[in-house]
Amino acid sequence: MANLRVLLVEDDELFRLGLQTRLQTEVGIEIIAEAIDGETAIEFTQRYQPDVVLLDVGLPGIGGVEACRQIKQQHPQIPILILTSHSQKTLIERLIAAGASGYCLKGIEAEALILALRSVAAGASWWDRTVTAEIRAAMSRQVIPVPEVDVSLIHTLTRREQEILALIAAGKNNQEIAETLHIAIGTVRVHVHAILQKLGVRDRTSAAVLALHQGWENLP
């Protein structure tokens, strides 16, 4: 199996070194490049085409949010996991709008960060537990756009797919969904793909936003 190629973007030298050292000890993860500002992050994403970008939001230059937005605009297929010490509501709203696939606080345990990297690289999303509530609050203020789909499409989902959509809306990653439903993680991935196709949304985050807006998190 090929290594997970990670672009590490962090301006704090000591913190970056600690991350680099820890992640490089993990089998199957390779730090292919490191950047210390948003402009270099954009340049290195273009140059190295990483599998995932691990991005600090508090960067010098254009900043992490704008770097995230530009990277996703140029490379929509590359997931971005945000790592930061901040958790303000406005920041979360901006990150979601910029296309981030996940968000972790810097106090996260190393094992959880590695799982988060693997999750977003596999097409899932990863949000800190407080974020689901923040998403709901942001939608109520119409800050985060809700995907425009035919709400009757919920009835095209099987009961199992509805269960998984509810868990996605609750902020669960694929591993947690598999454990909750006592099914294989590969089966979860298949169901998630089917959910996105049936609802006509581009990614897991859009499905979660739609589910929360429609009140589908309590299904089935």
Side-chain angles (χ1 to χ4, degrees), residues 129 160 163 167 172-183 188:
R129 284 290 178 265
R160 178 63 86 190
E163 289 176 333
L167 291 170
K172 302 289 187 181
N173 60 54
N174 283 0
Q175 183 63 49
E176 292 171 324
I177 292 173
E179 293 173 355
T180 299
L181 298 179
H182 306 290
I183 58 178
V188 175

Side-chain angles (χ1 to χ4, degrees), residues 6-201:
V6 178
L7 170 60
L8 174 58
V9 188
E10 169 62 60
D11 65 314
D12 185 313
E13 183 176 2
L14 289 178
F15 190 76
R16 187 177 69 253
L17 178 61
L19 278 175
Q20 191 268 353
T21 301
R22 177 62 183 87
L23 292 176
Q24 289 285 53
T25 65
E26 184 71 17
V27 176
I29 291 182
E30 176 186 3
I31 305 297
I32 59 169
E34 299 177 24
I36 61 172
D37 57 50
E39 290 86 348
T40 307
I42 295 168
E43 176 188 344
F44 281 6
T45 301
Q46 174 65 31
R47 181 185 304 178
Y48 296 107
Q49 297 289 310
D51 296 319
V52 61
V53 177
L54 180 57
L55 180 73
D56 176 31
V57 77
L59 296 172
I62 62 173
V65 176
E66 178 60 19
C68 177
R69 187 190 69 78
Q70 291 193 32
I71 290 171
K72 291 300 292 186
Q73 187 176 54
Q74 297 173 23
H75 309 280
Q77 78 284 4
I78 297 179
I80 300 175
L81 179 64
I82 301 295
L83 186 62
T84 179
S85 57
H86 306 291
S87 59
Q88 298 97 331
K89 295 178 182 179
T90 54
L91 174 60
I92 294 167
E93 295 163 2
R94 291 169 63 204
L95 290 173
I96 293 173
S101 298
Y103 171 101
C104 296
L105 294 175
K106 283 189 174 180
I108 189 173
E109 295 181 357
E111 291 76 11
L113 176 59
I114 290 166
L115 180 57
L117 282 168
R118 296 189 187 282
S119 294
V120 299
S125 57
W126 184 285
W127 299 101
D128 184 84
R129 284 290 178 265
T130 62
V131 174
T132 297
E134 306 293 3
I135 292 174
R136 188 191 301 278
M139 286 190 304
S140 70
R141 300 192 302 278
Q142 297 184 333
V143 175
I144 298 176
V146 178
E148 295 183 2
V149 303
D150 182 352
V151 296
S152 68
L153 291 174
I154 186 63
H155 301 299
T156 68
L157 302 184
T158 65
R159 181 178 179 83
R160 178 63 86 190
E161 288 166 352
Q162 290 180 16
E163 289 176 333
I164 290 174
L165 178 60
L167 291 170
I168 290 172
K172 302 289 187 181
N173 60 54
N174 283 0
Q175 183 63 49
E176 292 171 324
I177 292 173
E179 293 173 355
T180 299
L181 298 179
H182 306 290
I183 58 178
I185 191 169
T187 302
V188 175
R189 294 193 186 103
V190 170
H191 283 307
V192 170
H193 179 74
I195 291 168
L196 300 184
Q197 292 294 312
K198 289 181 179 181
L199 295 182
V201 293

